[in-house]
Amino acid sequence: MAGFISDNSNLTVPTAFEDGYEKAKKLNPGLAETYIEHITVGDPIADSLMEELADLTQQQEHRFIMAGMQGNEEVLAQAPKSLRDFFEEMKQPPAWLEPEKFEAGRRSFHEHSDLFIPAFFLVTVQNAASLIAKSFHATGRVVSDFGLRRIRQNTRHFVEIMLPGALVDQGDGWRLSVRIRLVHARLRKLIRESEDWNAASWGEPISAAHQGLASANFSATMLENARKLGARMNKKTRNSFMQIWRYASYLVGTPEALLFEGDEAKTREFLKIAGICEPPPSKESAMIANALVRALPEIAGKIHPADQEKMLKHVFRVSRAVLGNELADKLALPKCNTAGFLQTLRLLRQMYGLSHKAAPDFANKWRGQNFVFLLEASMLDDIKYQLPDHVRVEQSIEY
């Protein structure tokens, strides 16, 4: 196929990944090959489903998907067999699922909600550093006026999967995860069919590899970001958090081969090799990263320009301190002095821990205020189950 190179194992390597793959396979050839294999793969089950739904009207498609999400078997019985089979498969938990292992991770999230809020947003920025940025830039989902809704949806998903029971028995966390899988499949089809996508260079839009990379960041990297900001979590808690994201990632369509059984050390090694395979952050990466950060004051309800500017300066400083100067420069984040900044933040967090022991009512109020902020940041009138019908979000139905 024109534009591709193949090595001795007949592995198809999109040209944007040539240099990185050559470097990565010297360190871990098996993992590097696994990553590149998944760059040219989407989500075969969901992608096939999108093709089979093409004959339905938007109203029919929405009605049947709603029925599948809500467990309305009477309506779902009228849907195409492929959609019925999809929901039946999604309702069957994997053999490894042990929901009782989620509890410690959830407790830690609520205990450290003031730290997981910035850790979550920073992971979203870090995801933009990969070539997945080209997929989302192609849709305008983040850098347009529609970006706020996308950010709120992502935050809503994070909140929901951290609530008790939300990922099991088709709870809200389960529904939002499955929704993401279907939206990604439709976007993948629309992007692939557009004239602007260069598959020979970039591989598959919203590829399985990038799903795996995002899943690894939302689990292992988020834990690391929260630690840098002052969260203290033991091994049991970290393992629990990893298992929550393992199942959520499974539901959104991440291949099990890229979930590494929820093992944090293996996930970190994957992130290292995947990062080497990736090309340097693109101009789209920088645009999306800055758009994400600049959206935060509005999400936080900051109205006055002075308050917005103050929050932006703080967020950019936190971002550079956590991400490091090298990545922050590649993402064109504003330069600022971060010397000793993380140590100060961790000291403040220790003082909060002491206040929790000395004045638990005050500490609970502080924690509650941060969780309320997270809920408000994710607030939407409703979650829609329509799928996009145009590659550009401004020309698509609201979803």
Side-chain angles (χ1 to χ4, degrees), residues 186-206:
R186 177 56 57 80
L187 287 174
R188 194 178 298 113
K189 181 177 187 295
L190 293 170
I191 295 170
R192 194 190 307 117
E193 293 172 351
S194 72
E195 297 179 356
D196 297 328
W197 188 257
N198 186 343
S201 180
W202 305 330
E204 186 76 358
I206 317 179

Side-chain angles (χ1 to χ4, degrees), residues 229-230 341-353:
L229 293 169
F341 185 56
L342 284 180
Q343 291 89 330
T344 300
L345 291 179
R346 287 195 287 267
L347 178 60
L348 290 172
R349 195 53 173 70
Q350 289 176 18
M351 293 173 63
Y352 162 78

